[in-house]
Amino acid sequence: MVDIIIGAIQPTGPPSNKPGFTGGTTVEAEILDVREPRKSVRGPQDEERRKEFRQDPANGRVLTLLVPNGTVLPKDLDRRKYKVRLRFIKK
C-alpha cells in the first residue's frame, strides 16, 4: 500500500521551538531512484518537444530523493537560489 500525501496542515497545539533552516545544515534524505540522464526528445518535425531545452551531462545520474522532514528545508527553496552538496554514508 502506498500513501500519497499532496499537502498537510500544521499539527495543532502550542508551537514548537524548532530551529529554522540555517545555511549549511545537514538534511537527511532517502534515495528513491537512480537513473540515467535524459536523452533528447524529438517530435514528428524533428523538433524538441520540451518547453525548456535542457541537456544533461553525458556522465550524469539523476537521483530522486525523499526528505522525511520537509520542515528542515528552506522556505524559499528554488533550484536557482540554492546549490546542493551530497555526502553519501553507507548503511
Side-chain angles (χ1 to χ4, degrees):
M1 176 181 227
V2 176
D3 291 334
I4 300 174
I5 300 172
I6 303 299
I9 60 170
Q10 292 293 328
T12 59
S16 61
N17 293 329
K18 291 183 193 173
F21 178 80
T22 58
T25 300
T26 301
V27 176
E28 190 170 333
E30 178 184 344
I31 299 173
L32 297 181
D33 189 33
V34 180
R35 66 172 176 82
E36 297 297 318
R38 295 173 286 197
K39 293 184 169 68
S40 178
V41 179
R42 300 286 179 188
Q45 286 80 29
D46 202 35
E47 295 176 5
E48 184 72 22
R49 292 188 303 172
R50 294 187 188 113
K51 294 180 182 177
E52 284 184 35
F53 176 74
R54 172 81 190 229
Q55 185 163 357
D56 292 339
N59 293 331
R61 303 282 284 178
V62 178
L63 303 178
T64 304
L65 303 174
L66 169 68
V67 177
N69 183 3
T71 60
V72 298
L73 298 174
K75 299 286 185 220
D76 62 341
L77 185 61
D78 187 297
R79 66 183 175 143
R80 287 172 249 122
K81 294 181 182 179
Y82 289 90
K83 179 188 285 190
V84 176
R85 295 177 186 225
L86 300 173
R87 179 176 169 211
F88 293 95
I89 302 171
K90 281 200 169 221
K91 289 184 179 181

